[in-house]
Amino acid sequence: MTETSCGAPLARHRSGLKWQEWLVGQALPLWAQAGFNRATSLFHERLTFSAAPQAVSALRLMVQARQIATYCRAAAEGLYGDGEDALRCLATIERLYHRRVGEAGWIFSISPSLEALDTKRDLYAHAFIIYAYHWAFRLSGDVAYYRKARETLLDVRLIFADAGDGLRGISPGEDVVRGQDPIMHLFEACLMWMPYAEHPDFQNQADQLARLALTRLIDPSTGMIREYFDASWRPLQIEGQNRIEPGHVFEWSWLLRHYARLKRDAALRRPIEDAAARLFEAGQRFGLKDGGVVDAISETGVPLLRSIRIWPQTEYYRLLADLRHDASQGTSERAKIESSMQDVTDLFFSRFTTGIVGGGWIDRIREDGSGCVDHMPASSLYHIYGAATAR
């Protein structure tokens, strides 16, 4: 357990107990039962608010990988189940998505009848396959999962090769617009593997992506992370008109803090920690409205989307929980953090989880408080798990 500046263990904040109780008692059972198709050993993409599977035209690799990772992690951390369904799903997607068209990597999606559908390769999905293999390894101890994760990383370098430290987002195709999101999740997956990997591949890739973030992705004037870039990793729009998603600002801050902790050299840690701190401060200054994290703003804080989605709230909460344990926080700063944690908790349980099946959620809410969608996407559970287990 992390210690405070006084050396005494810092107990978990009371709001965290509510999150974990809901996660373990309602959300994980819901998606393990109603959300899992035992006939195919695949997870459903989405459920209705009454917990019935909702028909979709495509089953995306990314969704399967996120659910596999979540349930392997839950089993590995002793919170829910034994992970057998998740491992069975992992074996199934290896057969249905991996090298399905005879080329390196994993295809994007299959049809409900399990035929290859969208055969492009997507960096975002590959990042989550590497992440899923990490938690399968953590659960089972089977080194075959490490070998498969490393093989996928080597495929990533081949399929999505780009100039400099960046990677293309799709293949085949000339994606002239680059996005930070797949870069962020590949960075996350590599961070998870770094303490366990026998080879330096994951360390090297994480270092390369961190350099890209610090030199290209983060706006030096505001400290926030931009969303979209041209093929040379220059901001896509003129200054002041680029899209910022505050949820990603907080997510990058958490990831960079985690990355800095893996660095033994204090001189190497300092610029990473400084960037993480600026991200948090900028996100709080520009990205919050009425205690909630808004969907999108410009670099100057002008709202681009006034709706709020569930996942940015979870990323904000996870970061707050991490900051609360920071020994450099004084009493007043920690009190502010704890107050913000309670605000996010109140928002989450009062607006995102009420009026629907237990363990379910409304993914996006309009500015007037009404819901924007008629279903629950499985992909949100990965974010929710991170917040609900934050210490």
Side-chain angles (χ1 to χ4, degrees):
M1 180 176 289
T2 308
E3 294 189 348
T4 67
S5 56
C6 298
L10 188 62
R12 189 175 191 185
H13 189 258
R14 62 185 180 279
S15 63
L17 300 176
K18 183 173 184 178
W19 283 80
Q20 185 164 311
E21 182 180 71
W22 177 83
L23 172 76
V24 174
Q26 298 186 57
L28 288 173
L30 173 68
W31 285 94
Q33 297 162 21
F36 187 69
N37 185 340
R38 297 193 175 280
T40 61
S41 293
L42 295 171
F43 287 96
H44 292 297
E45 279 259 339
R46 54 178 65 169
L47 298 177
T48 68
F49 292 137
S50 58
Q54 191 174 74
V56 295
S57 60
L59 298 174
R60 294 171 295 166
L61 174 64
M62 177 272 288
V63 172
Q64 302 302 318
R66 281 193 178 195
Q67 294 295 77
I68 290 164
T70 298
Y71 281 97
C72 284
R73 181 179 177 184
E77 295 179 340
L79 292 181
Y80 185 84
D82 58 12
E84 286 302 310
D85 285 342
L87 294 176
R88 191 176 303 113
C89 182
L90 181 52
T92 300
I93 67 169
E94 286 175 350
R95 175 171 54 85
L96 295 176
Y97 295 82
H98 189 226
R99 301 184 184 273
R100 182 70 183 265
V101 291
E103 298 180 6
W106 302 66
I107 64 172
F108 182 79
S109 67
I110 61 174
S111 70
S113 60
L114 311 186
E115 299 298 322
L117 187 61
D118 189 338
T119 59
K120 71 171 178 281
R121 273 92 75 218
D122 171 60
L123 178 60
Y124 190 96
H126 280 71
F128 275 106
I129 282 294
I130 295 170
Y131 183 77
Y133 274 134
H134 166 78
W135 285 108
F137 170 77
R138 291 281 297 276
L139 172 62
S140 68
D142 188 343
V143 295
Y145 293 127
Y146 167 67
R147 290 195 292 268
K148 290 175 180 177
R150 185 167 180 252
E151 174 190 315
T152 300
L153 180 62
L154 296 177
D155 280 347
V156 161
R157 291 177 175 177
L158 171 68
I159 297 167
F160 305 105
D162 195 10
D165 289 328
L167 293 164
R168 294 185 299 122
I170 60 170
S171 180
E174 292 298 323
D175 55 328
V176 295
V177 176
R178 304 284 194 263
Q180 68 75 28
D181 204 4
I183 297 295
M184 179 183 70
H185 287 297
L186 182 60
F187 182 55
E188 173 188 32
C190 290
L191 292 186
M192 296 301 104
W193 273 113
M194 277 172 55
Y196 302 91
E198 297 176 356
H199 301 86
D201 304 84
F202 293 101
Q203 170 80 64
N204 293 341
Q205 187 66 70
D207 291 343
Q208 177 179 319
L209 298 177
R211 284 195 301 270
L212 181 69
L214 295 178
T215 61
R216 294 285 191 169
L217 306 185
I218 296 175
D219 176 10
S221 61
T222 67
M224 292 191 287
I225 198 130
R226 301 183 181 100
E227 286 294 316
Y228 300 115
F229 304 83
D230 66 16
S232 298
W233 292 99
R234 293 185 295 258
L236 198 60
Q237 305 295 335
I238 63 172
E239 187 73 23
Q241 295 183 16
N242 288 282
R243 182 185 175 100
I244 305 288
E245 294 189 10
H248 287 145
V249 171
F250 293 129
E251 198 167 359
W252 266 106
S253 181
W254 187 92
L255 288 168
L256 288 173
R257 284 173 57 81
H258 184 74
Y259 177 64
R261 286 193 285 265
L262 296 174
K263 292 291 184 182
R264 296 180 180 178
D265 188 327
L268 292 176
R269 288 199 307 268
R270 192 165 297 113
I272 301 165
E273 292 169 338
D274 289 346
R278 286 197 74 199
L279 284 162
F280 172 66
E281 292 162 3
Q284 279 212 313
R285 181 180 178 188
F286 296 109
L288 301 179
K289 181 181 179 182
D290 300 328
V293 183
V294 299
D295 280 347
I297 59 175
S298 72
E299 299 111 305
T300 56
V302 175
L304 300 180
L305 285 175
R306 297 180 182 274
S307 56
I308 57 173
R309 292 192 67 184
I310 196 170
W311 71 262
Q313 320 313 316
T314 66
E315 293 302 329
Y316 182 39
Y317 183 89
R318 180 175 67 159
L319 177 58
L320 288 168
D322 192 49
L323 287 163
R324 177 174 175 265
H325 288 282
D326 194 327
S328 66
Q329 299 290 349
T331 302
S332 61
E333 289 82 2
R334 185 169 290 116
K336 291 177 183 177
I337 290 170
E338 292 180 346
S339 177
S340 296
M341 291 173 69
Q342 191 60 54
D343 288 344
V344 179
T345 301
D346 293 342
L347 175 69
F348 183 88
F349 287 103
S350 66
R351 299 184 66 185
F352 286 99
T353 64
T354 58
I356 53 179
V357 65
W361 54 79
I362 301 169
D363 183 68
R364 174 175 280 167
I365 297 172
R366 297 184 182 91
E367 189 177 18
D368 65 6
S370 61
C372 298
V373 292
D374 65 352
H375 64 273
M376 299 180 285
S379 57
S380 301
L381 186 59
Y382 146 85
H383 289 286
I384 291 169
Y385 189 99
T389 56
R391 295 289 176 179

mmCIF file with all atom_site columns, all heavy atoms in Angstrom, residues 218-229:
data_model
loop_
_atom_site.group_PDB
_atom_site.id
_atom_site.type_symbol
_atom_site.label_atom_id
_atom_site.label_alt_id
_atom_site.label_comp_id
_atom_site.label_asym_id
_atom_site.label_entity_id
_atom_site.label_seq_id
_atom_site.pdbx_PDB_ins_code
_atom_site.Cartn_x
_atom_site.Cartn_y
_atom_site.Cartn_z
_atom_site.occupancy
_atom_site.B_iso_or_equiv
_atom_site.pdbx_formal_charge
_atom_site.auth_seq_id
_atom_site.auth_comp_id
_atom_site.auth_asym_id
_atom_site.auth_atom_id
_atom_site.pdbx_PDB_model_num
ATOM 1  N N   . ILE A 1 218 ? 1.353   16.524 -26.862 1.00 0.00 ? 218 ILE A N   1
ATOM 2  C CA  . ILE A 1 218 ? 0.964   17.483 -25.821 1.00 0.00 ? 218 ILE A CA  1
ATOM 3  C C   . ILE A 1 218 ? 1.211   18.905 -26.310 1.00 0.00 ? 218 ILE A C   1
ATOM 4  O O   . ILE A 1 218 ? 2.305   19.231 -26.774 1.00 0.00 ? 218 ILE A O   1
ATOM 5  C CB  . ILE A 1 218 ? 1.733   17.215 -24.519 1.00 0.00 ? 218 ILE A CB  1
ATOM 6  C CG1 . ILE A 1 218 ? 1.347   15.837 -23.953 1.00 0.00 ? 218 ILE A CG1 1
ATOM 7  C CG2 . ILE A 1 218 ? 1.454   18.306 -23.483 1.00 0.00 ? 218 ILE A CG2 1
ATOM 8  C CD1 . ILE A 1 218 ? 2.145   15.416 -22.731 1.00 0.00 ? 218 ILE A CD1 1
ATOM 9  N N   . ASP A 1 219 ? 0.202   19.730 -26.204 1.00 0.00 ? 219 ASP A N   1
ATOM 10 C CA  . ASP A 1 219 ? 0.303   21.136 -26.593 1.00 0.00 ? 219 ASP A CA  1
ATOM 11 C C   . ASP A 1 219 ? 1.189   21.855 -25.582 1.00 0.00 ? 219 ASP A C   1
ATOM 12 O O   . ASP A 1 219 ? 0.850   21.943 -24.406 1.00 0.00 ? 219 ASP A O   1
ATOM 13 C CB  . ASP A 1 219 ? -1.101  21.739 -26.610 1.00 0.00 ? 219 ASP A CB  1
ATOM 14 C CG  . ASP A 1 219 ? -1.109  23.232 -26.918 1.00 0.00 ? 219 ASP A CG  1
ATOM 15 O OD1 . ASP A 1 219 ? -0.053  23.759 -27.299 1.00 0.00 ? 219 ASP A OD1 1
ATOM 16 O OD2 . ASP A 1 219 ? -2.166  23.854 -26.757 1.00 0.00 ? 219 ASP A OD2 1
ATOM 17 N N   . PRO A 1 220 ? 2.338   22.387 -26.003 1.00 0.00 ? 220 PRO A N   1
ATOM 18 C CA  . PRO A 1 220 ? 3.255   23.003 -25.033 1.00 0.00 ? 220 PRO A CA  1
ATOM 19 C C   . PRO A 1 220 ? 2.693   24.249 -24.357 1.00 0.00 ? 220 PRO A C   1
ATOM 20 O O   . PRO A 1 220 ? 3.101   24.588 -23.246 1.00 0.00 ? 220 PRO A O   1
ATOM 21 C CB  . PRO A 1 220 ? 4.490   23.338 -25.878 1.00 0.00 ? 220 PRO A CB  1
ATOM 22 C CG  . PRO A 1 220 ? 3.995   23.410 -27.280 1.00 0.00 ? 220 PRO A CG  1
ATOM 23 C CD  . PRO A 1 220 ? 2.880   22.412 -27.375 1.00 0.00 ? 220 PRO A CD  1
ATOM 24 N N   . SER A 1 221 ? 1.765   24.921 -25.000 1.00 0.00 ? 221 SER A N   1
ATOM 25 C CA  . SER A 1 221 ? 1.232   26.156 -24.417 1.00 0.00 ? 221 SER A CA  1
ATOM 26 C C   . SER A 1 221 ? 0.179   25.901 -23.347 1.00 0.00 ? 221 SER A C   1
ATOM 27 O O   . SER A 1 221 ? 0.086   26.650 -22.373 1.00 0.00 ? 221 SER A O   1
ATOM 28 C CB  . SER A 1 221 ? 0.649   27.056 -25.511 1.00 0.00 ? 221 SER A CB  1
ATOM 29 O OG  . SER A 1 221 ? -0.414  26.414 -26.179 1.00 0.00 ? 221 SER A OG  1
ATOM 30 N N   . THR A 1 222 ? -0.603  24.850 -23.492 1.00 0.00 ? 222 THR A N   1
ATOM 31 C CA  . THR A 1 222 ? -1.672  24.566 -22.515 1.00 0.00 ? 222 THR A CA  1
ATOM 32 C C   . THR A 1 222 ? -1.400  23.349 -21.654 1.00 0.00 ? 222 THR A C   1
ATOM 33 O O   . THR A 1 222 ? -2.007  23.193 -20.601 1.00 0.00 ? 222 THR A O   1
ATOM 34 C CB  . THR A 1 222 ? -3.018  24.344 -23.235 1.00 0.00 ? 222 THR A CB  1
ATOM 35 O OG1 . THR A 1 222 ? -2.933  23.134 -24.014 1.00 0.00 ? 222 THR A OG1 1
ATOM 36 C CG2 . THR A 1 222 ? -3.363  25.516 -24.134 1.00 0.00 ? 222 THR A CG2 1
ATOM 37 N N   . GLY A 1 223 ? -0.516  22.465 -22.119 1.00 0.00 ? 223 GLY A N   1
ATOM 38 C CA  . GLY A 1 223 ? -0.256  21.238 -21.377 1.00 0.00 ? 223 GLY A CA  1
ATOM 39 C C   . GLY A 1 223 ? -1.261  20.144 -21.645 1.00 0.00 ? 223 GLY A C   1
ATOM 40 O O   . GLY A 1 223 ? -1.177  19.066 -21.041 1.00 0.00 ? 223 GLY A O   1
ATOM 41 N N   . MET A 1 224 ? -2.206  20.375 -22.555 1.00 0.00 ? 224 MET A N   1
ATOM 42 C CA  . MET A 1 224 ? -3.223  19.367 -22.852 1.00 0.00 ? 224 MET A CA  1
ATOM 43 C C   . MET A 1 224 ? -2.820  18.533 -24.056 1.00 0.00 ? 224 MET A C   1
ATOM 44 O O   . MET A 1 224 ? -1.988  18.934 -24.869 1.00 0.00 ? 224 MET A O   1
ATOM 45 C CB  . MET A 1 224 ? -4.575  20.035 -23.100 1.00 0.00 ? 224 MET A CB  1
ATOM 46 C CG  . MET A 1 224 ? -5.153  20.661 -21.843 1.00 0.00 ? 224 MET A CG  1
ATOM 47 S SD  . MET A 1 224 ? -6.879  21.188 -22.024 1.00 0.00 ? 224 MET A SD  1
ATOM 48 C CE  . MET A 1 224 ? -6.680  22.642 -23.057 1.00 0.00 ? 224 MET A CE  1
ATOM 49 N N   . ILE A 1 225 ? -3.438  17.367 -24.186 1.00 0.00 ? 225 ILE A N   1
ATOM 50 C CA  . ILE A 1 225 ? -3.105  16.467 -25.290 1.00 0.00 ? 225 ILE A CA  1
ATOM 51 C C   . ILE A 1 225 ? -4.128  16.643 -26.403 1.00 0.00 ? 225 ILE A C   1
ATOM 52 O O   . ILE A 1 225 ? -5.327  16.607 -26.175 1.00 0.00 ? 225 ILE A O   1
ATOM 53 C CB  . ILE A 1 225 ? -3.027  15.015 -24.798 1.00 0.00 ? 225 ILE A CB  1
ATOM 54 C CG1 . ILE A 1 225 ? -2.277  14.134 -25.787 1.00 0.00 ? 225 ILE A CG1 1
ATOM 55 C CG2 . ILE A 1 225 ? -4.386  14.429 -24.503 1.00 0.00 ? 225 ILE A CG2 1
ATOM 56 C CD1 . ILE A 1 225 ? -1.206  13.316 -25.161 1.00 0.00 ? 225 ILE A CD1 1
ATOM 57 N N   . ARG A 1 226 ? -3.633  16.889 -27.599 1.00 0.00 ? 226 ARG A N   1
ATOM 58 C CA  . ARG A 1 226 ? -4.517  17.036 -28.751 1.00 0.00 ? 226 ARG A CA  1
ATOM 59 C C   . ARG A 1 226 ? -4.952  15.660 -29.253 1.00 0.00 ? 226 ARG A C   1
ATOM 60 O O   . ARG A 1 226 ? -4.282  14.664 -29.024 1.00 0.00 ? 226 ARG A O   1
ATOM 61 C CB  . ARG A 1 226 ? -3.812  17.800 -29.863 1.00 0.00 ? 226 ARG A CB  1
ATOM 62 C CG  . ARG A 1 226 ? -3.329  19.208 -29.491 1.00 0.00 ? 226 ARG A CG  1
ATOM 63 C CD  . ARG A 1 226 ? -2.730  19.851 -30.730 1.00 0.00 ? 226 ARG A CD  1
ATOM 64 N NE  . ARG A 1 226 ? -2.211  21.203 -30.483 1.00 0.00 ? 226 ARG A NE  1
ATOM 65 C CZ  . ARG A 1 226 ? -0.929  21.486 -30.292 1.00 0.00 ? 226 ARG A CZ  1
ATOM 66 N NH1 . ARG A 1 226 ? -0.032  20.510 -30.262 1.00 0.00 ? 226 ARG A NH1 1
ATOM 67 N NH2 . ARG A 1 226 ? -0.531  22.730 -30.103 1.00 0.00 ? 226 ARG A NH2 1
ATOM 68 N N   . GLU A 1 227 ? -6.054  15.632 -29.991 1.00 0.00 ? 227 GLU A N   1
ATOM 69 C CA  . GLU A 1 227 ? -6.590  14.369 -30.493 1.00 0.00 ? 227 GLU A CA  1
ATOM 70 C C   . GLU A 1 227 ? -6.060  13.985 -31.866 1.00 0.00 ? 227 GLU A C   1
ATOM 71 O O   . GLU A 1 227 ? -5.731  12.825 -32.095 1.00 0.00 ? 227 GLU A O   1
ATOM 72 C CB  . GLU A 1 227 ? -8.126  14.433 -30.548 1.00 0.00 ? 227 GLU A CB  1
ATOM 73 C CG  . GLU A 1 227 ? -8.801  14.358 -29.201 1.00 0.00 ? 227 GLU A CG  1
ATOM 74 C CD  . GLU A 1 227 ? -8.619  13.011 -28.518 1.00 0.00 ? 227 GLU A CD  1
ATOM 75 O OE1 . GLU A 1 227 ? -8.747  11.961 -29.186 1.00 0.00 ? 227 GLU A OE1 1
ATOM 76 O OE2 . GLU A 1 227 ? -8.330  13.019 -27.302 1.00 0.00 ? 227 GLU A OE2 1
ATOM 77 N N   . TYR A 1 228 ? -5.995  14.938 -32.801 1.00 0.00 ? 228 TYR A N   1
ATOM 78 C CA  . TYR A 1 228 ? -5.745  14.591 -34.203 1.00 0.00 ? 228 TYR A CA  1
ATOM 79 C C   . TYR A 1 228 ? -4.568  15.379 -34.783 1.00 0.00 ? 228 TYR A C   1
ATOM 80 O O   . TYR A 1 228 ? -4.357  16.553 -34.454 1.00 0.00 ? 228 TYR A O   1
ATOM 81 C CB  . TYR A 1 228 ? -6.997  14.837 -35.042 1.00 0.00 ? 228 TYR A CB  1
ATOM 82 C CG  . TYR A 1 228 ? -8.175  14.024 -34.565 1.00 0.00 ? 228 TYR A CG  1
ATOM 83 C CD1 . TYR A 1 228 ? -9.305  14.652 -34.044 1.00 0.00 ? 228 TYR A CD1 1
ATOM 84 C CD2 . TYR A 1 228 ? -8.149  12.633 -34.617 1.00 0.00 ? 228 TYR A CD2 1
ATOM 85 C CE1 . TYR A 1 228 ? -10.381 13.901 -33.598 1.00 0.00 ? 228 TYR A CE1 1
ATOM 86 C CE2 . TYR A 1 228 ? -9.218  11.885 -34.161 1.00 0.00 ? 228 TYR A CE2 1
ATOM 87 C CZ  . TYR A 1 228 ? -10.331 12.524 -33.650 1.00 0.00 ? 228 TYR A CZ  1
ATOM 88 O OH  . TYR A 1 228 ? -11.386 11.784 -33.194 1.00 0.00 ? 228 TYR A OH  1
ATOM 89 N N   . PHE A 1 229 ? -3.845  14.692 -35.702 1.00 0.00 ? 229 PHE A N   1
ATOM 90 C CA  . PHE A 1 229 ? -2.624  15.232 -36.280 1.00 0.00 ? 229 PHE A CA  1
ATOM 91 C C   . PHE A 1 229 ? -2.545  14.838 -37.751 1.00 0.00 ? 229 PHE A C   1
ATOM 92 O O   . PHE A 1 229 ? -3.245  13.934 -38.201 1.00 0.00 ? 229 PHE A O   1
ATOM 93 C CB  . PHE A 1 229 ? -1.403  14.678 -35.530 1.00 0.00 ? 229 PHE A CB  1
ATOM 94 C CG  . PHE A 1 229 ? -1.446  14.938 -34.051 1.00 0.00 ? 229 PHE A CG  1
ATOM 95 C CD1 . PHE A 1 229 ? -2.161  14.109 -33.189 1.00 0.00 ? 229 PHE A CD1 1
ATOM 96 C CD2 . PHE A 1 229 ? -0.771  16.028 -33.512 1.00 0.00 ? 229 PHE A CD2 1
ATOM 97 C CE1 . PHE A 1 229 ? -2.213  14.363 -31.828 1.00 0.00 ? 229 PHE A CE1 1
ATOM 98 C CE2 . PHE A 1 229 ? -0.819  16.281 -32.148 1.00 0.00 ? 229 PHE A CE2 1
ATOM 99 C CZ  . PHE A 1 229 ? -1.546  15.454 -31.305 1.00 0.00 ? 229 PHE A CZ  1
#
